[in-house]
DNA sequence: TGGCTGTTTCGTACATAGTACGCTACGGTT
DNA sequence: AACCGTAGCGTACTATGTACGAAACAGCCA
């Protein structure tokens, strides 16, 4: 049978670097970063492992690529605006991106070659602080502090065995009962009178810290005379 | 149960769970967490892979174990003392432990079963805050904030391609030159006028943030009426 | 039309990972 | 002497990243 066209004409939408990275990100979201293997990714795309290597050099490049994709989802702060509002919005934006893609925070540790979206993000954030009158020193301090807090919060959130309001109870209750013998009174107290209260959501703690940090930065900015 | 024999005339000091975990920690420190494999660990201990499985159930238990070992290195804060001094010291202690064992912060994300040293550490910290008059809510806020900052800082420190004072220059200079075309002016500014200054050490940023956070907590503690 | 050439895809193979299974070696107990 | 429990190990299975080179296809020129 003389087929003038290829076997699978439109079954598979054609490979490309963008599609590889996009599917890799989806797969990591659905099944976790550990389940993102060359083979599983190829299968998810309806192709074979070695085909992917025409679009990415190796798996590390895939990991770098999806981290940059995550940054590309974060809208950039605007230099020249109210710095505090911009940093508040950026804080929430970064956190929600890291919540959507919990594996990303774990990759931050190992990836050292930032992509273009990551660079743009850093540039816009630094420019916003500088434009608001932060000195170079204070800008560096502020950025290290803000990102440490945001990343660290995301890290802790990713490490929690529960997710969202009220879901803590099922996990925590048996543990608390185990500990109620008295070895860890303060932990039990916090658990029973805070974590186990209806409506509790660890994510709500985020705003307290972000606010406190922005307050402190505002004081230092004013104290330095602008 | 028979704990009688003490001297095996062998050249190897006898296996034990403690020795396995201790060597695993050393190996992770020396060669990185990726190089910590069952095989490499067995070789480092002068034994064979499967022998280790008499002392640990699986590799996850090894990872949990060495994370708890890291916590066991951190001296506990004392409930009843000056809370600010205690939290300052604890902050430095945790950070230096995570600096000694940079792989540990990456494990925090995946490990969800804390060991005894980890639990003792959390308990002592919470008790210190409570004893200083922090309400349950404020204690929870404070702890989430402090640990987010400390872990996040350690995460960023671990991700840096350089380490210690002045070492940033060699890595950063070529990058800065690449960017000096003008795409990222704020990053270049910060780099040339702050990071590349002699004596720069990212680790020095830590105190600024910790101080700011403790200031903010003190204000909130006072504002709530003690 | 036929053939050349570069791009894309894939089949096979290898090194290294965790670990299940079952055997040996040995020191006590009965 | 017979037995047994513990520590240690040899082998083998499965999953991983990826090197190597062949196959399939597209577009071009004769």
């Amino acid at each position: 049978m003389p087929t003038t066209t290829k076997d699978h004409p439109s079954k598979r939408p054609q490979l490309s670097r963008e599609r590889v990275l996009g599917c890799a990100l989806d797969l990591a979201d659905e099944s976790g970063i550990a389940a993102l293997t060359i083979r599983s990714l190829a299968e998810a795309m309806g192709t074979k492992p070695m085909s992917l290597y025409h679009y990415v050099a190796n798996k590390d490049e895939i990991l770098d690529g999806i981290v940059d994709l995550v940054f590309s989802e974060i809208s950039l702060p605007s230099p020249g605006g109210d710095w505090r509002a911009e940093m508040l919005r950026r804080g929430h934006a970064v956190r929600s991106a890291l919540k959507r893609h919990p594996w990303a925070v774990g990759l931050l540790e190992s990836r050292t070659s930032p992509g273009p979206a990551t660079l743009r993000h850093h540039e816009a954030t630094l420019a916003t602080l500088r434009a608001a009158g932060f000195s170079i020193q204070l800008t560096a301090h502020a950025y290290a502090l803000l990102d440490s807090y945001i990343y660290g919060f995301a890290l802790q959130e990713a490490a929690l065995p529960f997710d969202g309001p009220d879901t803590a109870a099922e996990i925590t209750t048996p543990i608390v009962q185990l500990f109620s013998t008295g070895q860890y009174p303060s932990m039990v107290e916090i658990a029973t009178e805070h974590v186990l209260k209806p409506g509790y959501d660890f994510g709500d703690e985020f705003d307290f810290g972000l606010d406190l940090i922005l307050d402190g930065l505002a004081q230092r900015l004013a104290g330095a005379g602008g």
Side-chain angles (χ1 to χ4, degrees), chain A:
Chain A
M1 60 178 193
T3 60
T4 58
T5 54
K6 53 200 285 191
D7 278 344
H8 311 300
S10 57
K11 188 185 212 165
R12 294 174 313 197
Q14 171 83 317
L15 292 178
S16 72
R17 183 188 169 87
E18 283 64 38
R19 251 176 55 72
V20 169
L21 294 180
C23 286
L25 183 134
D26 291 344
L27 191 54
D29 284 347
E30 286 164 27
S31 324
I33 194 70
L36 172 60
T37 69
I38 297 288
R39 288 165 217 261
S40 68
L41 178 56
E43 182 155 16
M45 301 187 71
T47 180
K48 300 297 161 80
M50 291 316 289
S51 304
L52 306 180
Y53 282 92
H54 260 267
Y55 303 96
V56 291
N58 47 40
K59 191 177 177 181
D60 270 10
E61 211 174 273
I62 295 180
L63 297 179
D64 284 338
I66 61 177
V67 167
D68 204 54
L69 270 183
V70 171
F71 272 98
S72 76
E73 291 179 3
I74 304 169
S75 75
L76 300 177
S78 322
D82 173 7
W83 72 268
R84 190 168 169 149
E86 292 297 319
M87 287 303 111
L88 189 66
R89 175 167 48 194
R90 185 193 90 99
H92 286 136
V94 174
R95 181 176 100 85
S96 79
L98 292 179
K99 198 181 163 94
R100 274 195 303 279
H101 313 292
W103 42 266
V105 65
L107 290 185
L108 292 179
E109 184 208 23
S110 47
R111 309 288 98 201
T112 53
S113 50
T118 309
L119 291 173
R120 267 194 299 275
H121 177 89
H122 289 149
E123 172 64 24
T125 307
L126 292 172
T128 301
L129 292 173
R130 290 290 284 136
F134 282 67
S135 71
I136 290 184
Q137 273 240 344
L138 191 57
T139 300
H141 287 333
Y143 203 17
L145 167 52
L146 283 166
D147 272 12
S148 291
Y149 175 61
I150 297 167
Y151 292 160
F153 194 91
L155 185 70
Q156 294 202 73
E157 216 171 6
L160 289 179
F162 47 85
D163 183 48
D166 297 325
T167 46
E170 300 140 39
I171 310 280
T172 315
T173 303
I175 303 177
V176 168
Q177 282 170 352
L178 246 174
F179 288 174
S180 59
T181 52
Q183 279 207 70
Y184 306 107
S186 301
M187 293 184 64
V188 169
E189 184 191 45
I190 299 274
T192 54
E193 300 190 31
H194 186 67
V195 176
L196 290 178
K197 288 282 156 120
Y200 169 81
D201 183 354
F202 178 75
D204 294 342
E205 309 271 1
F206 184 69
D207 283 323
F208 174 86
L210 189 53
D211 236 54
L212 186 150
I213 289 171
L214 293 175
D215 276 356
L217 290 177
Q219 282 172 22
R220 266 101 178 141
L221 176 63

